[in-house]
Amino acid sequence: ENDFIGYLALPLEVTPPHLRALRDVSDATVKSGWITSRTSKLEVSVRRAPDDMTPADSSRLQDGWIASVQRAVNIPRMDYTSATDSFVEVASLPDPAEHVRALLKDMPGALRFL
């Protein structure tokens, strides 16, 4: 079973690699560790796709983007008997980050970013 850990919402614009804190459905920072609580973070970058990866001008997929997750740090264990086997889902959404946060609060199962 996959457990929701948190999400990270970024605008669709060129973004250099940078560690950013994960948020839970209540918009609180996700933490890991019992004794020394540390912020859970993803290092993410966003860039435009190079011209040689962009489809022909007639394609609806031109002006492509590449979102890269370089690393994750301090991801909490979701199972007590094993290490976290995390995965990342990247989604491009037409709505601003504030709308995505409100959606996650209302329907926590609607989107799963990590």
Side-chain angles (χ1 to χ4, degrees), residues 28 33 41 79 91 93 99:
K41 297 179 180 181
D79 300 316
L93 304 171
H99 179 75

Side-chain angles (χ1 to χ4, degrees), residues 1-105:
E1 180 179 320
N2 298 322
D3 297 314
F4 177 78
I5 297 173
Y7 74 95
L8 176 64
L10 296 174
L12 189 56
E13 61 189 30
V14 175
T15 306
H18 183 71
L19 278 170
R20 293 168 175 85
L22 286 175
R23 301 294 201 176
D24 66 15
V25 294
S26 67
D27 208 29
T29 302
V30 175
K31 303 277 188 176
S32 71
W34 293 98
I35 297 170
T36 57
S37 183
R38 297 169 303 205
T39 300
S40 300
K41 297 179 180 181
L42 287 181
E43 184 174 8
V44 180
S45 63
V46 180
R47 63 186 171 95
R48 289 193 167 274
D51 290 338
D52 62 343
M53 290 180 65
T54 304
D57 290 341
S58 59
S59 171
R60 64 179 177 79
L61 299 177
Q62 62 178 284
D63 300 325
W65 292 85
I66 298 172
S68 301
V69 178
Q70 282 77 21
R71 64 185 171 131
V73 295
N74 302 326
I75 302 302
R77 283 186 170 190
M78 301 307 286
D79 300 316
Y80 292 108
T81 59
S82 65
T84 298
D85 55 349
S86 304
F87 66 94
V88 174
E89 291 182 23
V90 176
S92 173
L93 304 171
D95 300 314
E98 295 78 25
H99 179 75
V100 173
R101 286 186 191 103
L103 177 65
L104 283 169
K105 285 181 185 177

